[in-house]
Amino acid sequence: MQQKSKLFLQALKYSIPRLGKCMQKQHLNHYNFADHYYNRIKLKKCHLTKCLQDKPTISELARNIPSRSFSCKDFLPIKQENKDSLSENMDAFEKVRTKLETQPQEEYEIINAEVKHGGFVYYQEGCCLVRSKDEEADNDNYEVLFNLEELKLDQPFIDCIRVAPDEKYVAAKIRTEDSEASTCIVVKLSDQPVMEASFPNVSSFEWVKDEEEEDVLFYTFQRNLRCHDVYRATFGDNKRNERFYTEKDPSYFVFLYLTKDSRFLTINIMNKTTSEVWLIDGLSPWDPPVLIQKRIHGVLYYIEHRDDELYILTNVGEPTEFKLMRTAADTPAIMNWDLFFTMKRNTKVVDLDMFKDHCVLFLKHSNLLYVNVIGLADDSVRSLKLPPWACGFIMDTNSDPKNCPFQLCSPIRPPKYYTYKFAEGKLFEETGHEDPITKTSRVLRLEAKSKDGKSVPMTIFHKTDSEDLQKKPLLVHVYGAYGMDLKMNFRPERRVLVDDGWILAYCHVRGGGELGLQWHADGRLTKKLNGLADLEACIKTLHGQGFSQPSLTALTAFSAGGVLVGALCNSNPELLRAVTLEAPFLDVLNTMMDTTLPLTLEELEEWGNPSSDEKHKNYIKRYCPYQNIKPQHYPSIHITAYENDERVPLKGIVNYTDKLKEAIMEHAKDTGEGYQAPNVVLDIQPGGNHVIEDSHKKITAQIKFLYEELGLDSTSVFENLKKYLKF
């Protein structure tokens, strides 16, 4: 999957301690996040029932390690009738759950990853790495290359696969649900395939072939969530393994990318605002690498190659947004870069794909998706506006120079295939039955005015036949950090909520990347409060335009999105009734003061350096959720945390929860006996992953919490959820 421009436009999962997965697992992650930078990945459709049988749920992984839930209802006085009502709701929920366990599950297609190389397709089948003939890929005729159970891991799965150029070896990165640590295994493709080598803690990896026709594997080694070392290895009679490069600056991370034509292997060295790229000649991988351009603070750039020319996606020059430049491959330095194509103002470059005669840019402008097809022979540009329901791209790999396939998706609609055919100059849509959600739901794109006059885009979903939207429940989504777009990939539970009458609102606040690099810059460091002002303006605008009301409004976020949510709960709790948070970043100040944590140094350009800069320290104190808790009425809050999370330490979440409970108790004492206290639940899940996104236990717990806190009947929502999730 070639999410290549996200090298700059989105910070890598491996470099962001407060981010975790940014896409839905497909499997993995999302398609895995790092997989965005690997080419030659093909998307394969399969059935959810089959996938559920092949991989465990979180509850299965943790059957002997029960999660722990803590609730303010354990110690705050509540009227007896409320207790009785809660008990009835709990009983009703359990009855529905029991009923669903005995009913057959409907099949639903999700997306899974596989790799095609030559005439074969490589993928995971059960607990094995297998291959089959391309035309037989969907049948049961396959050859087992490696049994994952030999690694002695708990429920392992394949993260990504790379096949050597001459198909003598295949390398696969393997991990488990509850850990981010990955193992790379190399299998020799002989008559009797055997594991040739195993490397722990591998992040990115690629094959090249040297002058002696020998396969060379380059890979990056990850230690304590930091990726600074590049190794290269050979196998067979000339076996060796050596460290090739080490990055000395701890605020940078390193990963590998092979240009689409396999001509160059690029070593990408980046932090949040600056990058440096070295080229390894794919024909002479033992030669010293060539530096494209020495790192310049604030300059990001990424390299593709075609016909002895380098195409550079970079933010150099004015305006400091991404633009496409090019230069001869033998004169790569920045002074030789010529401007080739510029984007419209407030445009986000989502991705770039290079073909023999065309360059395709995937763009987001005014909260709508576009594809720009650039003819490289005549510099012609064809701009295609994509369907208004689409909120995100899923890139498909294609070695055919005549076609550019991709998928479009939204939070409530599964991905749909599209293909741009260069010869016809037209975009072709996948035929088949139209999803009924297109007729039963509506997508709106609105704007809110923030305090400083900035227009903040919002994307809203609701049923077309909903009457009196002011009385409907509203679920608001926000992120606003690292220049990352708010996730809008398909989530079955979101579709179920819309079907049940909910309004979904996605607020694209500053600090995210929806309107380009400047949109991120205007919401980081000492401008972080802009994101909070944007979120407040969005919710007030929604209420003002007749979308729900505070008593029926819930707010949800994960990871770094917890900063804005926690800050809003402190500053304007009256706007909300309930909140759900997952692996939330809530103690910004103490976390950024602790340089012993794995990734604190990499985060300084997002949050600031409170240890050495008093201005940064005082500014963080103004919005940090933990620092600003006070005795007042809060919305009810459900927090899902992970026991061994290395990116958001559990300690900070527990400290936040304890302090919040104390503030609620103090407010309850001052208010009097009749006060209805909010419910605060901390659900600590076992495992070391940052966000385990498709845990059915987690999804049902969060939905149950929202329905109870908003006083809604949950019977129908869980009846509908059985179409997608197996309880």
Side-chain angles (χ1 to χ4, degrees):
M1 296 164 215
Q2 301 174 351
Q3 301 278 12
K4 294 178 289 211
S5 63
K6 291 182 182 171
L7 303 179
F8 306 125
L9 313 180
Q10 302 177 347
L12 281 174
K13 169 185 173 183
Y14 296 108
S15 71
I16 301 177
R18 279 43 106 175
L19 173 63
K21 298 176 181 174
C22 297
M23 305 291 291
Q24 186 179 7
K25 282 186 199 159
Q26 305 185 6
H27 204 315
L28 174 77
N29 202 20
H30 335 133
Y31 60 62
N32 183 275
F33 193 100
D35 259 358
H36 294 186
Y37 316 105
Y38 294 140
N39 62 343
R40 298 190 298 277
I41 296 288
K42 178 182 175 184
L43 297 178
K44 171 188 176 183
K45 291 187 177 181
C46 62
H47 289 292
L48 182 58
T49 47
K50 181 177 183 297
C51 291
L52 288 172
Q53 293 167 356
D54 287 347
K55 68 183 186 67
T57 63
I58 294 308
S59 58
E60 291 170 341
L61 287 173
R63 62 171 63 94
N64 296 319
I65 313 175
S67 62
R68 304 187 295 279
S69 297
F70 306 96
S71 171
C72 277
K73 290 182 178 179
D74 295 335
F75 55 82
L76 289 175
I78 302 177
K79 292 181 181 180
Q80 182 63 42
E81 59 266 31
N82 291 330
K83 287 184 178 180
D84 295 340
S85 175
L86 174 61
S87 177
E88 291 174 3
N89 289 338
M90 292 279 285
D91 290 342
F93 175 82
E94 294 302 329
K95 288 178 181 177
V96 172
R97 179 168 178 158
T98 301
K99 182 179 179 182
L100 293 180
E101 288 176 343
T102 63
Q103 292 182 343
Q105 178 194 3
E106 296 182 21
E107 287 187 326
Y108 191 79
E109 285 188 328
I110 63 172
I111 299 204
N112 202 0
E114 62 180 28
V115 171
K116 181 179 178 181
H117 186 94
F120 291 92
V121 179
Y122 298 78
Y123 54 95
Q124 181 172 355
E125 182 71 25
C127 202
C128 295
L129 170 64
V130 304
R131 72 173 176 180
S132 64
K133 287 287 187 181
D134 189 9
E135 63 271 13
E136 300 171 349
D138 292 328
N139 298 328
D140 293 330
N141 298 320
Y142 53 78
E143 175 188 10
V144 174
L145 302 178
F146 181 75
N147 189 336
L148 275 57
E149 293 177 343
E150 294 182 24
L151 297 177
K152 308 296 184 185
L153 299 175
D154 185 13
Q155 302 289 351
F157 61 85
I158 296 174
D159 193 328
C160 56
I161 302 169
R162 288 290 172 273
V163 185
D166 284 342
E167 214 162 347
K168 296 176 182 177
Y169 298 95
V170 60
K173 191 169 69 169
I174 299 167
R175 56 183 293 269
T176 64
E177 286 270 8
D178 62 347
S179 174
E180 295 192 34
S182 299
T183 298
C184 178
I185 58 110
V186 177
V187 177
K188 185 177 181 180
L189 298 175
S190 56
D191 292 338
Q192 295 293 327
V194 294
M195 186 173 74
E196 185 82 7
S198 174
F199 305 121
N201 301 315
V202 170
S203 175
S204 57
F205 59 108
E206 294 287 359
W207 291 99
V208 295
K209 185 171 62 175
D210 67 11
E211 302 92 328
E212 305 297 326
E213 301 295 312
E214 185 174 35
D215 294 315
V216 185
L217 180 70
F218 286 79
Y219 66 92
T220 54
F221 178 77
Q222 181 174 302
R223 181 188 294 110
N224 295 327
L225 299 181
R226 296 176 178 175
C227 196
H228 294 154
D229 296 321
V230 182
Y231 286 77
R232 58 187 172 190
T234 56
F235 310 95
D237 296 334
N238 187 26
K239 182 177 293 187
R240 57 176 163 171
N241 186 26
E242 62 186 25
R243 185 163 58 182
F244 175 70
Y245 174 87
T246 296
E247 172 57 37
K248 303 297 184 182
D249 190 330
S251 70
Y252 283 76
F253 58 94
V254 182
F255 63 91
L256 306 175
Y257 170 71
L258 190 66
T259 57
K260 189 176 182 182
D261 61 3
S262 300
R263 182 65 177 81
F264 291 104
L265 176 66
T266 64
I267 301 176
N268 301 272
I269 307 161
M270 301 179 60
N271 65 13
K272 302 299 184 293
T273 62
T274 305
S275 68
E276 178 178 287
V277 181
W278 293 74
L279 292 184
I280 296 175
D281 192 331
L283 303 177
S284 304
W286 301 104
D287 290 350
V290 176
L291 175 64
I292 297 298
Q293 173 58 47
K294 185 177 180 180
R295 64 193 74 170
I296 302 172
H297 181 73
V299 174
L300 293 164
Y301 69 99
Y302 161 77
I303 300 297
E304 254 296 358
H305 176 263
R306 171 192 172 270
D307 287 352
D308 294 327
E309 286 188 317
L310 299 179
Y311 287 78
I312 305 115
L313 191 65
T314 179
N315 67 332
V316 70
E318 294 295 334
T320 55
E321 297 290 345
F322 277 104
K323 52 199 69 84
L324 192 60
M325 309 184 88
R326 66 180 172 184
T327 186
D330 57 359
T331 56
I334 194 169
M335 71 281 295
N336 300 312
W337 296 0
D338 293 325
L339 183 62
F340 179 61
F341 186 78
T342 58
M343 320 301 166
K344 292 182 181 178
R345 183 181 177 86
N346 293 332
T347 295
K348 166 70 176 276
V349 182
V350 178
D351 204 355
L352 174 150
D353 200 357
M354 188 67 68
F355 294 82
K356 182 178 182 296
D357 297 316
H358 298 85
C359 175
V360 180
L361 291 167
F362 299 87
L363 308 172
K364 181 181 291 185
H365 178 71
S366 297
N367 215 14
L368 294 171
L369 300 185
Y370 292 80
V371 167
N372 278 11
V373 181
I374 305 174
L376 299 177
D378 56 5
D379 294 348
S380 62
V381 179
R382 179 174 174 79
S383 183
L384 303 173
K385 184 177 180 180
L386 299 175
W389 62 263
C391 301
F393 294 101
I394 298 175
M395 302 307 159
D396 200 352
T397 282
N398 181 38
S399 58
D400 181 0
K402 299 179 181 179
N403 301 315
C404 176
F406 59 91
Q407 296 177 77
L408 299 177
C409 64
S410 88
I412 64 172
R413 178 171 173 164
K416 185 170 186 178
Y417 279 89
Y418 288 80
T419 300
Y420 184 84
K421 297 188 177 182
F422 298 115
E424 290 89 339
K426 294 181 180 179
L427 185 67
F428 292 85
E429 180 179 351
E430 176 188 32
T431 58
H433 296 294
E434 186 64 30
D435 194 313
I437 197 74
T438 58
K439 295 182 179 180
T440 61
S441 68
R442 176 179 299 156
V443 56
L444 303 173
R445 288 175 170 83
L446 304 179
E447 289 184 343
K449 287 290 184 183
S450 196
K451 290 179 180 179
D452 60 358
K454 275 291 185 187
S455 296
V456 184
M458 297 182 289
T459 308
I460 300 162
F461 303 88
H462 67 84
K463 290 182 70 174
T464 54
D465 59 355
S466 290
E467 297 179 359
D468 198 357
L469 291 173
Q470 194 170 19
K471 295 182 180 179
K472 299 296 182 181
L474 168 66
L475 183 60
V476 179
H477 299 70
V478 71
Y479 187 69
Y482 302 111
M484 296 288 299
D485 289 11
L486 182 58
K487 284 196 308 178
M488 299 189 69
N489 53 300
F490 175 62
R491 295 288 298 273
E493 66 272 21
R494 301 300 186 224
R495 177 177 183 139
V496 170
L497 289 178
V498 169
D499 285 340
D500 205 43
W502 283 71
I503 304 165
L504 304 185
Y506 290 76
C507 303
H508 310 292
V509 304
R510 280 174 283 185
E514 286 86 348
L515 298 183
L517 295 179
Q518 190 61 47
W519 197 247
H520 172 218
D522 288 343
R524 68 181 183 95
L525 296 176
T526 54
K527 296 182 179 180
K528 184 61 69 174
L529 282 168
N530 284 340
L532 176 60
D534 293 351
L535 176 58
E536 179 183 332
C538 286
I539 296 176
K540 288 181 176 179
T541 298
L542 289 167
H543 292 162
Q545 294 194 16
F547 294 99
S548 194
Q549 53 189 290
S551 63
L552 290 172
T553 297
L555 180 57
T556 185
F558 80 102
S559 198
V563 174
L564 297 184
V565 173
L568 185 69
C569 289
N570 289 328
S571 63
N572 283 284
E574 69 278 359
L575 292 177
L576 307 168
R577 177 65 185 88
V579 168
T580 63
L581 296 171
E582 184 167 3
F585 189 27
L586 297 167
D587 190 359
V588 183
L589 183 61
N590 288 324
T591 301
M592 294 307 299
M593 295 276 287
D594 187 354
T595 57
T596 66
L597 294 174
L599 298 176
T600 294
L601 294 177
E602 293 184 15
E603 299 297 293
L604 297 180
E605 295 199 45
E606 179 69 25
W607 309 100
N609 190 347
S611 297
S612 61
D613 191 319
E614 197 67 20
K615 179 182 178 182
H616 286 171
K617 183 176 181 179
N618 292 332
Y619 191 85
I620 291 173
K621 283 183 177 179
R622 292 173 59 187
Y623 67 81
C624 175
Y626 176 76
Q627 298 292 328
N628 291 281
I629 293 173
K630 56 192 174 186
Q632 63 175 2
H633 180 74
Y634 279 88
S636 293
I637 300 177
H638 184 285
I639 301 174
T640 305
Y642 300 94
E643 196 163 34
N644 300 314
D645 193 334
E646 295 181 86
R647 299 179 181 273
V648 177
L650 181 60
K651 178 182 177 182
I653 298 175
V654 172
N655 289 343
Y656 170 88
T657 306
D658 290 343
K659 187 175 181 180
L660 181 62
K661 290 179 179 180
E662 291 175 3
I664 290 173
M665 289 182 66
E666 185 176 344
H667 180 67
K669 291 177 182 177
D670 295 340
T671 304
E673 185 177 339
Y675 175 63
Q676 177 65 54
N679 188 22
V680 178
V681 176
L682 174 58
D683 185 6
I684 302 177
Q685 297 286 335
N689 208 348
H690 180 51
V691 176
I692 305 174
E693 188 167 342
D694 60 358
S695 165
H696 306 145
K697 178 180 178 182
K698 178 204 72 179
I699 291 171
T700 54
Q702 291 174 348
I703 292 178
K704 172 185 172 185
F705 175 83
L706 291 176
Y707 272 77
E708 289 176 352
E709 295 303 323
L710 272 60
L712 305 173
D713 181 3
S714 63
T715 302
S716 61
V717 71
F718 286 105
E719 289 281 5
N720 291 331
L721 204 58
K722 75 171 186 276
K723 301 175 183 177
Y724 307 102
L725 303 179
K726 182 178 180 181
F727 289 88

